Amino acid sequence: MSNYTPNSDTRNTPDHYHVLGATLSITADAKTTDGEYLVLDMLVPPMFENGLHTHEQSEVFHVIEGEARLHVDGRDQTLGPGTSGYVPGGEVHGFANEGDEVCRVIAVMTPAGAEGFFREAGQPTDDRSLSEPIEPTEEMLQSLFATGDRYGFEFLGPLPERAE
């Protein structure tokens, strides 16, 4: 017999945020998963990268559409539709869409908790549409880094060139 009790938060509508040009939809968070995991449905524009960084959560990236570069511990992996990549908690990694098409990715982070970072760092939006492309300013990046510090993210600079 299961001990499962449905969470009292019965929202079926995700929260959407623009974060440095990408759109992240939070479809499950600490509140709805008893703190176990966070699920992000991401639209990643062409030529977007989130840079090298670390956080305590483990993370899985699963590509729905497009193609993405996942850089983990000095190694690159190209993910296409239907493929996944894993990042152990605390590992240096980064993610990029190096192509010309929008990439759609589901990211799962465990344990939950990083949703506060995305909510604070992003601009709320009513839908899943991409924002206009932006070139982050130094002020925007410093604000993002400071927010990241509060949530256990450490930003380490841009992704290295791909090893040939």
Side-chain angles (χ1 to χ4, degrees):
M1 175 145 268
S2 172
N3 291 329
Y4 173 75
T5 303
N7 191 303
S8 61
D9 183 355
T10 58
R11 294 178 303 150
N12 289 325
T13 306
D15 296 333
H16 310 288
Y17 298 89
H18 291 150
V19 181
L20 296 181
T23 300
L24 284 64
S25 299
I26 299 174
T27 64
D29 61 12
K31 187 175 181 180
T32 60
T33 68
D34 292 327
E36 291 192 28
Y37 57 90
L38 164 67
V39 179
L40 302 170
D41 186 344
M42 305 187 307
L43 292 178
V44 184
M47 306 317 293
F48 174 93
E49 87 163 56
N50 64 4
L52 289 175
H53 63 281
T54 64
H55 44 71
E56 72 176 54
Q57 295 87 354
S58 296
E59 192 167 17
V60 172
F61 293 92
H62 181 78
V63 174
I64 304 296
E65 297 173 15
E67 194 171 270
R69 171 189 180 192
L70 180 60
H71 182 89
V72 182
D73 190 28
R75 292 184 296 268
D76 285 309
Q77 183 178 7
T78 300
L79 304 175
T83 62
S84 300
Y86 172 68
V87 180
E91 193 71 56
V92 174
H93 68 286
F95 180 86
N97 177 358
E98 298 173 324
D100 296 329
E101 301 294 325
V102 172
C103 182
R104 181 174 175 210
V105 178
I106 303 296
V108 179
M109 299 177 78
T110 185
E115 60 271 18
F117 166 73
F118 296 112
R119 287 182 170 128
E120 194 172 323
Q123 298 294 327
T125 181
D126 292 333
D127 59 34
R128 288 182 39 77
S129 64
L130 283 172
S131 65
E132 290 297 315
I134 61 167
E135 185 66 37
T137 65
E138 186 62 28
E139 182 179 314
M140 291 168 73
L141 292 174
Q142 291 306 316
S143 176
L144 181 79
F145 300 159
T147 302
D149 283 345
R150 290 193 294 279
Y151 291 94
F153 283 67
E154 182 179 5
F155 294 94
L156 305 167
L159 291 176
E161 294 292 321
R162 275 185 181 263
E164 295 301 323

